[in-house]
Amino acid sequence: MPASAERTLIAPTELDRRTGRVLYRVVLGATVTGFTLAFVFPLYWMASGALKSSTELAAPTPTLLPESWHPESYGHAWTNVGLGQYFLNTLLLACGAWLLQLVVDVSAAYALSKLRPALGNVVLGMMLATLMLPVSALLVPTYLTVTDVPLLHVNLINTPWAIWLPACANAFNIFILKRFFDQIPAELLDSARIDGAGPVRVLVSVVLPLSRPVLAVVSIFAVVGVWKDFLWPLLVLPDPARQPVTVALNRLAEFMPANQLLAGMVMASVPLLALFLIFQRHIISGLTAGSLKG
């Protein structure tokens, strides 16, 4: 086998045969169709269920298409329970967490990658070790921390800081940023230092402009993580007026018709779907970026 040849699941000689090509296309088509249905069908079921009547939803025999269309359930879900206010709450929490995550995670990754402090690898290893812990194991210590912040002795319950501060230090985002910063040539940073730039100026003027793809990925992860979170906001935001849309829909489920509840879920999912569809290329390019073109 030539040194430049690549190992693949199906040998190139098999694709040269008619039977091999047909089998390959059948398997590929079945795989793509299966994965598409697995991910898209729940979204379709939720969106179509919102267009059905509550009686049809409660029927023992489910229907793929609504027997009678009720698009007004979306309007009723928005106005009857005040979803607009809960969307604003969610947007405030997501934007604050995004901004603080960028500040903290970029600073930490830059320090570990380019400033190279003593025991930096140990600190990075301890950060990554937290990814091995289940989220449920961290709930109690984190909750005790926000109810009585060490040194400050401040209770953050029912404030946005109860969401923002625990989301600041994200080990996964720090690891992604550090790996990207490692690929930035040291010559560029040395040139900036020769011109008199300090560490902060190097970060702002050299590193961040080159890191737009990975910053887009981290930003999307930050927003999505807060937008779809349910358990933590349920614990630290008991005041209904401050709750995000995910918690509000769960609290109001017993008072809402089933079709309006599904309509609310659809509207809560639309921003995340739109965010992914708009920035999907940035996500792929940011995760695969690992070098600079000269």
Side-chain angles (χ1 to χ4, degrees):
M1 180 182 294
S4 59
E6 296 182 358
R7 294 182 178 272
T8 59
L9 184 62
I10 300 178
T13 54
E14 293 293 333
L15 294 178
D16 292 336
R17 302 174 182 174
R18 178 182 177 86
T19 304
R21 290 195 302 269
V22 172
L23 181 61
Y24 169 76
R25 291 170 182 171
V26 170
V27 173
L28 178 62
T31 303
V32 172
T33 302
F35 275 99
T36 301
L37 290 176
F39 286 101
V40 174
F41 185 76
L43 299 176
Y44 166 78
W45 190 259
M46 181 172 61
S48 63
L51 297 174
K52 301 175 183 178
S53 64
S54 298
T55 304
E56 185 178 353
L57 283 173
T61 304
T63 56
L64 287 177
L65 292 175
E67 296 177 355
S68 59
W69 296 77
H70 296 273
E72 68 277 3
S73 59
Y74 285 92
H76 292 163
W78 182 270
T79 57
N80 291 351
V81 298
L83 283 182
Q85 179 61 44
Y86 299 122
F87 269 96
L88 290 177
N89 294 344
T90 309
L91 184 63
L92 173 65
L93 297 176
C95 290
W98 163 73
L99 181 60
L100 289 177
Q101 273 199 47
L102 282 186
V103 173
V104 174
D105 294 354
V106 168
S107 301
Y110 175 67
L112 293 172
S113 176
K114 298 304 181 184
L115 303 183
R116 299 187 182 278
L119 302 178
N121 291 332
V122 175
V123 173
L124 179 62
M126 295 174 64
M127 289 183 181
L128 296 179
T130 61
L131 298 177
M132 305 297 107
L133 298 175
V135 177
S136 57
L138 300 175
L139 284 178
V140 173
T142 308
Y143 183 82
L144 295 177
T145 301
V146 299
T147 54
D148 185 13
V149 179
L151 301 179
L152 299 178
H153 300 292
V154 177
N155 190 343
L156 301 179
I157 297 299
N158 270 329
T159 68
W161 292 101
I163 302 294
W164 295 342
L165 290 183
C168 279
N170 188 298
F172 181 69
N173 288 345
I174 292 175
F175 177 71
I176 292 178
L177 289 166
K178 180 186 180 299
R179 289 293 302 272
F180 188 92
F181 292 165
D182 288 342
Q183 304 300 321
I184 298 178
E187 292 79 5
L188 293 178
L189 278 64
D190 293 338
S191 299
R193 295 190 185 101
I194 292 174
D195 293 337
V200 177
R201 183 62 182 274
V202 171
L203 172 64
V204 174
S205 301
V206 179
V207 176
L208 292 184
L210 295 173
S211 306
R212 291 176 182 173
V214 72
L215 290 178
V217 173
V218 170
S219 298
I220 293 172
F221 285 169
V223 173
V224 171
V226 174
W227 193 284
K228 69 182 181 65
D229 196 11
F230 168 74
L231 183 57
W232 182 245
L234 178 66
L235 293 175
V236 299
L237 297 175
D239 184 2
R242 300 175 181 270
Q243 291 175 346
V245 65
T246 52
V247 179
L249 286 174
N250 176 75
R251 177 174 53 83
L252 298 170
E254 57 180 317
F255 307 107
M256 297 175 63
N259 57 349
Q260 293 184 22
L261 178 62
L262 290 176
M265 293 179 179
V266 171
M267 289 186 287
S269 305
V270 166
L272 296 184
L273 293 175
L275 187 69
F276 173 77
L277 293 177
I278 294 173
F279 295 103
Q280 57 179 326
R281 292 186 178 179
H282 295 79
I283 297 174
I284 297 173
S285 63
L287 289 175
T288 57
S291 60
L292 296 174
K293 295 182 179 180

